[in-house]
Amino acid sequence: MGVLLLLLLVVSAVSADEDAFIGVNIGTDLSDMPSPTQVVALLKAQQIRHVRLYDSDRAMLLALANTGIRVTVSVPNDQLLGIGQSNATAANWVSHNVLAHVPVTNITAIAVGSEVLTTLPNAAPILVSAMKFIYSALVASNLDSQIKVSSPHSSSILLDSFPPSQAFFNRSWDPVMVPLLKFLQSTGSFLMLNAYPYYDYMQSNGVIPLDYALFRPLPPNKEAVDANTLLHYTNVFDAVVDAAYFAMSYLNFTNIPIIVTESGWPGKGDSSEPDATLDNANTYNSNLIRHVLNKTGTPKHPGIAVSTYIYELYNEDLRPGSVSEKNWGLFDANGVPIYILHLTGSGTVLSNDTTNQTYCVAKEGADSKMLQAALDWACGSGKVDCSPLLQGKPCYEPDTVVAHATYAFDAYYHWMAMADGTCDFNGVATVTTTDPSHGPCIYPGSGGRNTTFINGTSLAPSTNSTASGCHSQYFNGGHAFMGSAIVGVLLWSAVFL
């Protein structure tokens, strides 16, 4: 992939009348970690304007100087106890890690610890003290209005989070959460929340459908409805954020905005994580970026920005744990994109998808009869030359409706210059960055050597169109299957109805 993907990320603060932003987390567990200068060069090339560091590395902060990039620095968990027990230690930390770099480095927030309540519960009693001591040091330096202080929390501190209106914080953490929220409210800061629909999906045992986790559109009758509020939820991300809003409101805090400090999707997993794929990671992050920058907000707070940091900039091969733990990145260590984000039509976001490295394929689990109808349309009214699918031709094998439909869909998609809406086919097609070409069968997105079209133009079939064409000519199998996602939608909807 010679062309780097572009992320145009808008500079702003979180409020109802300002733009949302997308940022990235910069982890460093790489065996070949790029130098700070290389990291910053990548950020600038991608127009990434917000970053979160898991520490306050001096070399990284120096490299970020004079770039204008907004930086969130972090107090690592292993430094939390000292800072939370000593105002002087906190002041010293701020002096060395903040005052030494501002204003040339644009530090705008300090994350005190990371998921302390769930990963370091012994430190929970001093978390708020640490935040207050850090804030006092900022006040003493006249920086409290420029730099916000908060602490990222795992969404697992929310109990009974579905439906969102019933969510509440784990009551055992009330002695921490109540003063913490008071602090955020009094300082005009925000709640930092780590939201991972991937894990919600994985842990739901099939109740949450994949499309719902990936922001894929669902018909209104398949949306999750909160029976208490009658709010309709079209994705897991919004439901998690609103669960946090409702949990805060039950503690009488209704004016604290939320920033999602971590969210993403792994691009690779082991055999126990079949949905950790490049296509799903691309779909989730592309849709997440559009969703955030479109400023739609959530059902509970429409129009209120939910700015989000994507986890994360690089794949981290040194991270312990499962295969997926190492594969959340947008880039490899050389700055090469892991996949090209689908950002066309996202307003101010510019996609560099100029390499034609996207393909239109049959959606996994799509109904075979619907696929056959769409295939017939593409080879008939759609004017795609489907002769490569005939017996003895390069793309005849495998002789399945999925394979033949994928070829026809991709041919139509590229003939229509990959325009929005030309890879849908009544919901049975999806865009991917994985080239479906195989053996002698070269797909149109790979160069189009097999594809020609009858003169004329045609629109992709709508929900009211009638398919016609070559049913038996291009498909001889009779397999029909129903995707598990459809079953999942029904079960998921039942949770709220």
Side-chain angles (χ1 to χ4, degrees), residues 194-277:
N194 295 342
Y196 286 101
Y198 172 74
Y199 289 124
D200 293 323
Y201 163 74
M202 288 287 289
Q203 295 163 9
S204 74
N205 295 318
V207 173
I208 296 177
L210 182 60
D211 283 352
Y212 207 89
L214 293 173
F215 292 94
R216 285 178 178 151
L218 295 173
N221 65 322
K222 301 299 183 185
E223 294 173 357
V225 180
D226 188 325
N228 300 316
T229 62
L230 299 184
L231 294 174
H232 286 240
Y233 287 87
T234 60
N235 60 82
V236 176
F237 180 89
D238 281 352
V240 172
V241 171
D242 270 2
Y245 276 128
F246 277 108
M248 285 194 289
S249 69
Y250 288 140
L251 296 177
N252 297 315
F253 296 93
T254 57
N255 59 349
I256 299 174
I258 290 174
I259 280 186
V260 173
T261 33
E262 293 179 18
S263 194
W265 197 280
K268 185 179 180 181
D270 56 30
S271 59
S272 67
E273 298 179 295
D275 295 299
T277 67

Side-chain angles (χ1 to χ4, degrees), residues 78-378:
D78 60 5
Q79 298 180 33
L80 194 61
L81 285 173
I83 289 174
Q85 294 174 330
S86 168
N87 205 336
T89 301
N92 187 55
W93 188 93
V94 169
S95 176
H96 282 85
N97 299 290
V98 177
L99 301 184
H101 298 282
V102 294
V104 288
T105 300
N106 191 15
I107 298 173
T108 57
I110 300 173
V112 181
S114 178
E115 300 188 345
V116 174
L117 301 187
T118 49
T119 63
L120 196 65
N122 290 340
I126 54 88
L127 175 59
V128 177
S129 294
M131 295 169 67
K132 289 181 176 178
F133 289 158
I134 292 286
Y135 181 75
S136 294
L138 293 176
V139 171
S141 302
N142 233 2
L143 291 174
D144 52 296
S145 62
Q146 301 172 39
I147 302 175
K148 301 300 181 184
V149 178
S150 188
S151 181
H153 298 284
S154 165
S155 61
S156 64
I157 66 171
L158 297 166
L159 301 183
D160 290 345
S161 54
F162 298 100
S165 64
Q166 293 182 188
F168 58 92
F169 293 119
N170 187 329
R171 294 287 183 248
S172 64
W173 294 125
D174 278 3
V176 177
M177 287 305 300
V178 172
L180 186 147
L181 292 172
K182 285 182 178 177
F183 170 82
L184 297 180
Q185 185 179 61
S186 66
T187 61
S189 190
F190 35 76
L191 180 72
M192 290 179 168
L193 184 70
N194 295 342
Y196 286 101
Y198 172 74
Y199 289 124
D200 293 323
Y201 163 74
M202 288 287 289
Q203 295 163 9
S204 74
N205 295 318
V207 173
I208 296 177
L210 182 60
D211 283 352
Y212 207 89
L214 293 173
F215 292 94
R216 285 178 178 151
L218 295 173
N221 65 322
K222 301 299 183 185
E223 294 173 357
V225 180
D226 188 325
N228 300 316
T229 62
L230 299 184
L231 294 174
H232 286 240
Y233 287 87
T234 60
N235 60 82
V236 176
F237 180 89
D238 281 352
V240 172
V241 171
D242 270 2
Y245 276 128
F246 277 108
M248 285 194 289
S249 69
Y250 288 140
L251 296 177
N252 297 315
F253 296 93
T254 57
N255 59 349
I256 299 174
I258 290 174
I259 280 186
V260 173
T261 33
E262 293 179 18
S263 194
W265 197 280
K268 185 179 180 181
D270 56 30
S271 59
S272 67
E273 298 179 295
D275 295 299
T277 67
L278 288 180
D279 284 347
N280 287 344
N282 195 341
T283 298
Y284 180 82
N285 281 327
S286 296
N287 287 339
L288 171 66
I289 291 169
R290 276 196 295 266
H291 184 70
V292 169
L293 295 184
N294 284 344
K295 295 177 288 185
T296 52
T298 66
K300 179 171 170 57
H301 291 301
I304 302 293
V306 185
S307 295
T308 300
Y309 292 84
I310 292 177
Y311 183 84
E312 58 185 335
L313 187 63
Y314 295 111
N315 274 343
E316 294 185 283
D317 61 311
L318 297 182
R319 283 190 64 83
S322 64
V323 173
S324 66
E325 278 296 311
K326 310 173 192 295
N327 289 279
W328 291 78
L330 297 173
F331 297 89
D332 66 19
N334 295 318
V336 176
I338 304 300
Y339 46 82
I340 303 293
L341 289 169
H342 304 314
L343 300 180
T344 304
S346 301
T348 56
V349 176
L350 301 178
S351 170
N352 72 336
D353 185 13
T354 57
T355 59
N356 292 343
Q357 287 179 304
T358 56
Y359 310 87
C360 184
V361 299
K363 185 180 291 186
E364 182 180 355
D367 180 71
S368 61
K369 291 182 180 179
M370 294 179 67
L371 280 176
Q372 184 64 58
L375 168 60
D376 291 344
W377 182 90

